[in-house]
Amino acid sequence: MHANTPECASHAPKRGRFQYSLRSLMAFVLLCGVLCSWATNRARQATKQEQAVTAIKFKGGFVIYDYQLDANGNMLDDPEPAGPNWLRDWLGIDWFHRVLIAHVTDSASLKHAGNLPRLEELYLGFVATDADLVHLQ
C-alpha cells in the first residue's frame, strides 16, 4: 500500500475541534499577564487610598471624591458614584474614584495624604511644621 491511497487517508489522526498555534497561545498568555498586572496595580492604589481616607476621617478630617464635584469644581447636591452598587460594595469606592480634596486635622493624618495621588487641594486644620510637610513630597 502506498501513502497516497484512500485506505491510509482514513486512518489519519483527527484534529481537535479547537486548535491554536503556539503563537496564539503565547499572545493569550501575554494578554492575561498584562491584564493581571494592571488589576494588581489598580488594587494596590485603591487599597492605599482607602487606608489614607480611613485614617484622615478617623482623626476628624474629610475628603471629597471626583464624583462629588461637577466640571467647574462645585459640589454636587446628590452625587451618584460610578459603577453598579454591588460592585462598589465588593471592590470599594476607591477602586472607581479618586480623592481630589482633603482636609486634615493633624500631622498624623498629613502623613496619609501622601497616598492620595490625584489630590488637587489640601486643607490643613493645624499649623504644620517643615517636618510635617516632608510627607507630601
Side-chain angles (χ1 to χ4, degrees):
M1 245 192 237
H2 295 282
N4 293 337
T5 61
E7 291 85 23
C8 277
S10 65
H11 296 292
K14 293 184 179 182
R15 299 183 106 189
R17 182 176 177 143
F18 298 106
Q19 284 193 340
Y20 301 100
S21 67
L22 184 58
R23 185 181 315 168
S24 298
L25 179 63
M26 296 286 282
F28 178 73
V29 169
L30 177 66
L31 179 65
C32 288
V34 168
L35 290 175
C36 287
S37 175
W38 173 83
T40 301
N41 187 37
R42 185 69 199 91
R44 189 175 298 130
Q45 290 173 349
T47 300
K48 286 172 84 174
Q49 179 174 291
E50 180 182 14
Q51 291 170 346
V53 167
T54 301
I56 290 170
K57 287 182 176 180
F58 180 75
K59 295 289 189 170
F62 66 88
V63 298
I64 298 175
Y65 287 91
D66 54 3
Y67 75 92
Q68 295 173 311
L69 301 174
D70 65 9
N72 297 325
N74 300 320
M75 288 288 293
L76 296 172
D77 292 333
D78 192 22
E80 183 66 29
N85 289 334
W86 65 270
L87 194 56
R88 276 196 321 267
D89 292 341
W90 185 46
L91 295 175
I93 192 77
D94 297 294
W95 180 271
F96 298 99
H97 298 285
R98 302 286 170 266
V99 173
L100 297 181
I101 300 172
H103 180 271
V104 296
T105 57
D106 64 349
S107 60
S109 299
L110 188 59
K111 291 177 185 177
H112 296 285
N115 289 328
L116 303 173
R118 301 248 175 107
L119 191 64
E120 294 178 0
E121 297 178 27
L122 176 64
Y123 297 98
L124 302 177
F126 67 101
V127 177
T129 64
D130 289 341
D132 294 331
L133 299 178
V134 168
H135 302 290
L136 297 179
Q137 290 181 347

